[in-house]
């Protein structure tokens, strides 16, 4: 088996065949947001739970790599933009695949937005990074959203389905998208994708039980796991919230 495929396979729990990824890259785009003020404490507080991957920007890898379990995939995020930028949906490369590899990455990730005037450059970046990552034996997780001047509703089922297809067409090893709220459309898009699709957690939900219902709905239509940040680290008890998600995803809930 090709090296990057072996690493991608290790992202999935051997029992449930699903994955839970904890994205902690929000500080670059949002600043010192609640829940991420003390990243070390957060990582130590959830270390005992069966999560399969953690996403960090390179500086936080340098500071906190020792707090990520050896059986977890370290996913280094390659792209970024801040909420202050014009346009706010722009994502530029801020880390190379080679640098991520030197930092010990098991996988790399990047975020692109479609439906805007910078779509062509972000698509080009994704295509180039997939090739470079595979050349160096690393899988790539593509986070794809419909955001920008041409988008009215970024959770439109047809746009989410198109985002999934883009990840597949450009060779990503895992595709992360938001849940569109339409089981049939989401299920068809997942079924037509040759690589695993994981659901984005989105903004913090004020009703965590309702959020868990959406997790269960997506699992029922074939999603391969969850990539949840704010609905973990911005909950009152992040470890308890993540434990409930783990129980659902890995078959105990």
């Amino acid at each position: 088996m090709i090296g990057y495929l072996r690493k991608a396979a290790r992202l999935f729990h051997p029992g449930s065949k699903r994955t839970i990824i904890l994205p902690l890259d929000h500080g670059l785009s949002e600043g010192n947001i609640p829940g991420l003020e003390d990243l070390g404490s957060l990582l130590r507080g959830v270390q005992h739970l069966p999560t399969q991957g953690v996403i960090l920007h390179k500086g936080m890898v340098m500071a906190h790599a020792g707090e990520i379990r050896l059986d977890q995939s370290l996913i280094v995020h390659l792209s970024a933009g801040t909420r202050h930028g014009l346009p706010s949906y722009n994502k530029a490369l801020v880390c190379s695949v080679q640098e991520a590899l030197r930092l010990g990455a098991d996988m790399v990730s990047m975020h692109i937005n479609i439906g805007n005037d910078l779509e062509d450059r972000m698509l080009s970046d994704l295509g180039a990074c997939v090739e470079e990552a595979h050349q160096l034996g690393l899988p790539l997780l593509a986070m794809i959203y419909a955001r920008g001047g041409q988008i009215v509703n970024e959770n439109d089922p047809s746009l989410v389905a198109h985002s999934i297809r883009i990840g597949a067409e450009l060779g990503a090893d895992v595709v992360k998208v938001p849940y569109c709220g339409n089981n049939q459309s989401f299920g068809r898009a997942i079924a037509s994708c040759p690589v695993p699709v994981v659901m984005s957690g989105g903004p913090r939900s004020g009703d965590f039980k309702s959020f868990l219902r959406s997790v269960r709905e997506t699992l029922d239509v074939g999603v391969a796991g969850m990539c949840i940040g704010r609905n973990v680290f911005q909950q009152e008890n992040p470890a308890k919230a993540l434990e409930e998600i783990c129980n659902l995803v890995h078959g105990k809930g």
Side-chain angles (χ1 to χ4, degrees), residues 130-167:
V130 166
E131 179 186 11
E132 187 177 9
H134 288 177
Q135 288 266 357
L136 294 172
L138 291 178
L140 185 144
L141 183 155
M143 309 175 181
I144 306 179
Y145 298 84
R147 291 177 181 169
Q150 304 302 313
I151 303 303
V152 176
N153 173 18
E154 67 181 62
N155 292 326
D156 181 287
S158 66
L159 289 174
V160 173
H162 196 169
S163 297
I164 290 172
R165 186 65 182 224
I166 288 169

Side-chain angles (χ1 to χ4, degrees), residues 11-234:
L11 185 65
F12 296 88
H13 189 281
S16 69
K17 310 301 182 187
R18 293 171 175 160
T19 188
I20 299 173
I21 303 166
L22 193 59
L24 302 176
D25 56 301
H26 304 69
L28 197 156
S29 58
E30 300 294 327
N32 201 31
I33 63 173
L36 289 184
E37 300 98 330
D38 187 346
L39 191 54
S41 292
L42 173 67
L43 285 167
R44 290 189 295 273
V46 300
Q47 201 172 46
H48 63 290
L49 295 168
T51 55
Q52 284 65 58
V54 177
I55 299 175
L56 295 172
H57 279 291
K58 59 185 179 180
M60 292 305 179
V61 173
M62 297 175 194
H64 298 289
E67 288 150 331
I68 297 172
R69 298 192 319 267
L70 293 178
D71 65 336
Q72 285 178 312
S73 290
L74 170 59
I75 305 170
V76 178
H77 203 46
L78 304 181
S79 59
T82 77
R83 61 187 176 87
H84 311 293
L86 292 174
S88 60
Y89 50 76
N90 181 32
K91 297 295 178 182
L93 292 174
V94 294
C95 180
S96 69
V97 178
Q98 295 97 323
E99 185 175 13
L101 187 61
R102 288 196 301 272
L103 289 169
D106 301 296
M107 191 171 197
V108 292
S109 63
M110 59 187 301
H111 177 157
I112 71 164
N113 293 317
I114 63 166
N116 57 69
D117 52 338
L118 297 174
E119 176 189 278
D120 60 337
R121 196 259 302 149
M122 285 186 270
L123 288 172
S124 177
D125 286 347
L126 175 58
C129 285
V130 166
E131 179 186 11
E132 187 177 9
H134 288 177
Q135 288 266 357
L136 294 172
L138 291 178
L140 185 144
L141 183 155
M143 309 175 181
I144 306 179
Y145 298 84
R147 291 177 181 169
Q150 304 302 313
I151 303 303
V152 176
N153 173 18
E154 67 181 62
N155 292 326
D156 181 287
S158 66
L159 289 174
V160 173
H162 196 169
S163 297
I164 290 172
R165 186 65 182 224
I166 288 169
E169 293 280 352
L170 289 181
D173 301 286
V174 180
V175 182
K176 171 189 171 184
V177 293
Y179 179 39
C180 64
N182 183 309
N183 278 357
Q184 290 186 338
S185 173
F186 202 51
R188 284 195 301 270
I190 291 169
S192 69
C193 184
V195 297
V197 176
V198 298
M199 187 188 91
S200 162
R204 181 186 181 276
S205 173
D207 182 355
F208 190 67
K209 294 301 181 186
S210 176
F211 173 73
L212 290 178
R213 284 195 294 272
S214 71
V215 170
R216 187 183 292 278
E217 285 176 14
T218 62
L219 292 171
D220 288 343
V221 296
V223 80
M226 302 291 141
C227 190
I228 299 175
R230 284 167 290 185
N231 276 298
V232 171
F233 65 74
Q234 288 190 331

